[in-house]
Amino acid sequence: MTGGAGFVGSHLCKALLDAGAAVTCVDDLSTGRPENIAPLLDRPGFTLVQANVAQELPVRRRPDLVLHFASPASPADYLRLPLHTMETGSAGTGNALTLAHESEARFVLASTSEVYGDPQQNPQDERYWGNVNPVGPRSVYDEAKRFGEALTTAHAETYGTDTCIVRLFNTYGPGMRGHDGRAVPTFVRQALAGEPLTVTGDGRQTRSLCYVDDTVAGILAAAAHGLRGPVNIGNPSEISMLALARLVVALAGSSSEVRYIERPVDDPAVRCPDITLARDKLGWEPRVGAEEGLRRTIDWFRAEAARG
């Protein structure tokens, strides 16, 4: 499990351990939180290897499954670590694919809805090629993931590696960092602190929020299936950023107001997955609605604040 100390990666590690698997977590902790995996360190079958996957994958076990989730994923991180992001998506993906091929293991690449860029088609299905600026500020992440998809596809075609590409849409939940730059943790942190919620632009841009438990279930369903993908894993219910901010304020019982700030360059106007393929092939669809998922997330952030 590369990137196993990250937000989604740590939830996957726990789910796999709960299912009885032995898990080797490889993470350089450049963006992953040690706190995310602290509860797992003493569990039987869990091994932490601190390493940069773009340089090496020092794994002693012969794995049955390789999940490649290493990468800075939030704008705050990939803008701070542009070259590291691209190296992880290129050399890191290559190293993970080589490990999977040599071990005759199933390989799952964590791709992203960012491969669709600022889409001109809504909702986005897997046949849509996207609308991506290859030299914009978001390009280091977008193109790293697009290259990772191309490399994964080439590896499967050339060597017969058993691969799967999952495109994740706007996952949220407990374990996120309050300052990682993504909308949900930013709004929750601000609401609990009584600060204004910073909505970019006019707030009419949309996202589709998938609670982390649903995302993990979709990833594991894809890993267990022979599907090569790419396959969208996300919640097809859209919400505007302004509506999300107001919902977070209401659920948190906060008195915070909304403050509008400048919208980032190349910020997508819409983002919504077509999950027909996941429903038909994997029998998967999200089960946790936005209000319930946000309540759980707010409760977690409140408990973290109480613990200091």
Side-chain angles (χ1 to χ4, degrees), residues 120-192:
Q120 298 174 336
Q121 170 184 309
N122 197 47
Q124 299 86 56
D125 64 36
E126 293 85 354
R127 294 166 297 180
Y128 179 54
W129 291 355
N131 177 40
V132 178
N133 179 356
V135 294
R138 304 170 74 98
S139 64
V140 294
Y141 183 64
D142 299 358
E143 299 296 355
K145 289 298 186 180
R146 286 161 68 93
F147 180 85
E149 288 198 12
L151 182 58
T152 298
T153 301
H155 221 275
E157 294 289 345
T158 303
Y159 298 118
T161 310
D162 182 13
T163 65
C164 177
I165 298 168
V166 292
R167 290 177 177 164
L168 309 184
F169 280 69
N170 298 106
T171 300
Y172 72 100
M176 301 187 85
R177 291 176 292 132
H179 290 275
D180 81 354
R182 287 178 277 199
V184 169
T186 299
F187 288 167
V188 171
R189 173 180 55 79
Q190 292 170 333
L192 292 179

Side-chain angles (χ1 to χ4, degrees), residues 44 48 82 84 90 102 112 120 133 138 162-163 194 197 220 230 233 274 294 300-301:
L48 172 62
H84 180 58
S90 53
E102 291 178 349
T112 171
Q120 298 174 336
N133 179 356
R138 304 170 74 98
D162 182 13
T163 65
L197 272 66
L220 294 180
I233 300 295
D274 182 327
L294 287 170
W300 181 85
F301 270 91

Side-chain angles (χ1 to χ4, degrees), residues 223-307:
H225 196 279
L227 183 67
R228 180 185 291 186
V231 57
N232 291 336
I233 300 295
N235 193 317
S237 298
E238 276 182 281
I239 186 171
S240 74
M241 291 297 93
L242 180 57
L244 173 62
R246 289 171 172 166
L247 180 57
V248 168
V249 167
L251 293 174
S254 173
S255 59
S256 294
E257 298 180 349
V258 168
R259 178 166 62 91
Y260 295 95
I261 62 174
E262 186 177 357
R263 189 170 165 190
V265 175
D266 294 335
D267 183 46
V270 294
R271 184 56 55 75
C272 181
D274 182 327
I275 62 168
T276 301
L277 182 61
R279 281 195 181 113
D280 290 349
K281 297 295 185 181
L282 306 179
W284 173 88
E285 61 183 336
R287 300 180 180 276
V288 180
E291 288 197 16
E292 175 60 25
L294 287 170
R295 281 194 186 95
R296 296 180 191 177
T297 304
I298 290 166
D299 288 346
W300 181 85
F301 270 91
R302 186 176 278 126
E304 285 291 293
R307 284 194 289 268

Side-chain angles (χ1 to χ4, degrees), residues 192-242:
L192 292 179
E195 301 171 356
L197 272 66
T198 49
V199 173
T200 63
D202 60 11
R204 289 188 293 180
Q205 64 272 32
T206 67
R207 297 294 183 267
S208 299
L209 305 177
C210 194
Y211 189 67
V212 65
D213 289 358
D214 285 331
T215 296
V216 166
I219 293 164
L220 294 180
H225 196 279
L227 183 67
R228 180 185 291 186
V231 57
N232 291 336
I233 300 295
N235 193 317
S237 298
E238 276 182 281
I239 186 171
S240 74
M241 291 297 93
L242 180 57

